[in-house]
Amino acid sequence: MESNRKLTPQEENLLSILVKQSSVVLPTDWKEGLLVRSMDDGGMGSLCLFPKGEIKEDGRSFGESVSEFQFTDQDGIEVIASLNLDDNGDLFELDIWKTDFSKVIKLPEI
């Protein structure tokens, strides 16, 4: 089982893009204490998000997708990143889908 960790700089950059263009207003301190855990997605890079370091496994469920960002990976394959909130409006998942289901080579640097 993957352990909880802090965001990498590349993950933080992608999440910042998604938060900035989100359809909802998130707290300005959303990064503070944020922990993540890699999801079992074949290496595409999806993350479970735990705001303020609170590891809540039970009772959390998908609420809504609030932002999407599409980019092209280094191999020319399109990737779609979605920011999902839970049913309480808290950060829930960074869902990354590479359209050929292969591993993401590099997250965008924008």
Side-chain angles (χ1 to χ4, degrees):
M1 180 166 154
E2 286 281 330
S3 61
N4 301 318
R5 60 177 176 80
K6 293 183 177 185
L7 291 167
T8 67
Q10 296 80 15
E11 292 165 343
E12 184 176 332
N13 181 57
L14 180 55
L15 264 178
S16 293
I17 292 166
L18 288 162
V19 165
K20 182 184 276 188
Q21 68 180 28
S22 170
S23 62
V24 297
V25 177
L26 294 170
T28 56
D29 66 347
W30 65 268
K31 288 188 251 186
E32 191 173 308
L34 181 67
L35 293 177
V36 301
R37 182 183 310 139
S38 296
M39 295 172 67
D40 185 15
D41 68 353
M44 289 186 278
S46 297
L47 300 171
C48 290
L49 306 175
F50 301 102
K52 302 202 183 310
E54 297 175 9
I55 310 302
K56 298 177 186 174
E57 300 290 348
D58 297 327
R60 288 184 84 201
S61 60
F62 174 83
E64 64 178 322
S65 182
V66 296
S67 184
E68 281 191 358
F69 180 75
Q70 186 168 337
F71 63 96
T72 304
D73 204 357
Q74 286 184 329
D75 58 3
I77 305 297
E78 292 301 306
V79 180
I80 300 170
S82 302
L83 178 61
N84 299 326
L85 303 184
D86 67 13
D87 52 355
N88 290 320
D90 295 321
L91 294 175
F92 183 61
E93 292 175 339
L94 168 60
D95 185 28
I96 299 179
W97 175 56
K98 190 165 178 180
T99 57
D100 71 348
F101 296 96
S102 66
K103 291 182 180 183
V104 170
I105 299 167
K106 186 175 182 184
L107 294 176
E109 293 179 18
I110 296 175

